[in-house]
């Protein structure tokens, strides 16, 4: 089923929307949640919460890129669940990924201005599209999907040192790019 048809089902409040979303994007959501939570039970709960989140968000929203919207809802819920589960103990791969990225995108506390958030999002998006396809894919796999370095190496056939070096240099370029754009880090 096409994304626009699924979105129409949500607008019609038809429960079939959830089934169709699960058929089309359930695997993606489970993958994202599993990479962050590392627990099948918590991941499945997160995916179920994703369906509820979509049900509550559509309407009023009508996402233009449904796959990205679904992935973002799943990712945000998994990160919230991760924070809840690991409030006292921090060690999994996702924390490592966030700490690496935190070196160049600090996420200042108290920044809740929607316009500024959109400006930052647009700048990061423009930066990512300026990268070559391979660098962009590695960066997104690491910091959006929370893939481990080892998993990225298996997917690409590259050594760990090459992937780590690529990520390091890309983070540095992102930091420089954001500073040139006047985004305070």
């Amino acid at each position: 089923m096409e994304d626009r048809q699924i979105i129409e089902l949500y607008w019609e409040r038809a429960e079939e929307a959830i089934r169709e979303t699960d058929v089309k994007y359930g695997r993606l959501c489970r993958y994202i949640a599993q990479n962050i939570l590392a627990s099948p039970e918590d991941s499945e709960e997160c995916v179920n919460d994703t369906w509820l989140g979509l049900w509550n968000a559509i309407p009023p929203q009508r996402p233009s890129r449904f796959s990205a919207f679904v992935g973002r809802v799943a990712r945000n819920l998994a990160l919230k669940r991760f924070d809840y589960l690991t409030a006292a103990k921090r060690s999994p791969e996702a924390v490592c990924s966030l700490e690496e990225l935190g070196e160049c995108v600090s996420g200042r506390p108290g920044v809740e201005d929607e316009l500024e958030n959109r400006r930052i999002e647009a700048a990061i998006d423009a930066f990512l599209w300026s990268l070559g396809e391979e660098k962009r894919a590695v960066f997104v796999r690491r910091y959006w999907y929370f893939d481990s370095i080892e998993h990225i190496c298996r997917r690409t056939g590259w050594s760990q040192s090459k992937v780590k070096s690529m990520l390091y240099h890309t983070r540095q370029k992102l930091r420089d790019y954001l500073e040139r754009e006047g985004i305070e880090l």
Side-chain angles (χ1 to χ4, degrees):
M1 183 175 279
E2 295 292 320
D3 287 353
R4 62 178 173 69
Q5 294 171 307
I6 296 173
I7 292 169
E8 283 305 317
L9 290 173
Y10 279 103
W11 275 81
E12 294 167 6
R13 306 315 277 165
E15 289 184 25
E16 183 184 354
I18 294 171
R19 285 190 298 278
E20 292 297 331
T21 306
D22 188 33
V23 166
K24 191 163 186 180
Y25 296 112
R27 188 170 175 219
L28 171 68
C29 293
R30 285 175 186 82
Y31 181 81
I32 292 169
Q34 183 63 31
N35 276 355
I36 295 170
L37 298 170
S39 161
E41 296 81 15
D42 290 331
S43 298
E44 194 57 39
E45 184 177 334
C46 177
V47 170
N48 290 333
D49 290 345
T50 299
W51 306 152
L52 177 62
L54 291 171
W55 186 261
N56 291 332
I58 307 170
Q61 296 185 51
R62 189 178 290 272
S64 58
R65 292 193 55 220
F66 190 55
S67 60
F69 188 79
V70 171
R72 182 175 30 182
V73 170
R75 183 177 184 273
N76 289 344
L77 289 170
L79 288 170
K80 285 179 186 175
R81 180 84 175 148
F82 178 82
D83 282 344
Y84 172 77
L85 294 171
T86 61
K89 52 187 191 295
R90 306 261 184 211
S91 65
E93 192 70 36
V95 171
C96 182
S97 294
L98 291 172
E99 287 173 354
E100 289 171 3
L101 195 56
E103 296 170 6
C104 61
V105 182
S106 64
R108 302 176 310 231
V111 176
E112 296 179 12
D113 179 29
E114 186 64 28
L115 291 175
E116 181 65 9
N117 289 342
R118 287 184 185 180
R119 188 170 83 90
I120 293 168
E121 183 179 314
I124 292 171
D125 191 46
F127 170 78
L128 289 174
W129 282 108
S130 74
L131 296 175
E133 187 175 334
E134 290 177 338
K135 288 181 181 178
R136 181 174 56 247
V138 167
F139 193 85
V140 169
R141 294 241 54 102
R142 180 70 173 154
Y143 300 116
W144 178 260
Y145 294 108
F146 292 101
D147 280 356
S148 68
I149 299 292
E150 295 77 19
H151 187 261
I152 294 170
C153 290
R154 283 193 304 272
R155 287 181 68 97
T156 62
W158 296 333
S159 68
Q160 282 193 14
S161 61
K162 179 175 180 168
V163 171
K164 286 179 181 179
S165 176
M166 183 184 293
L167 288 167
Y168 174 78
H169 291 296
T170 305
R171 287 192 311 268
Q172 295 306 313
K173 287 178 184 177
L174 173 60
R175 180 183 189 88
D176 294 343
Y177 179 84
L178 292 175
E179 286 175 352
R180 280 194 312 274
E181 292 295 311
I183 295 172
E184 201 174 306
L185 303 178

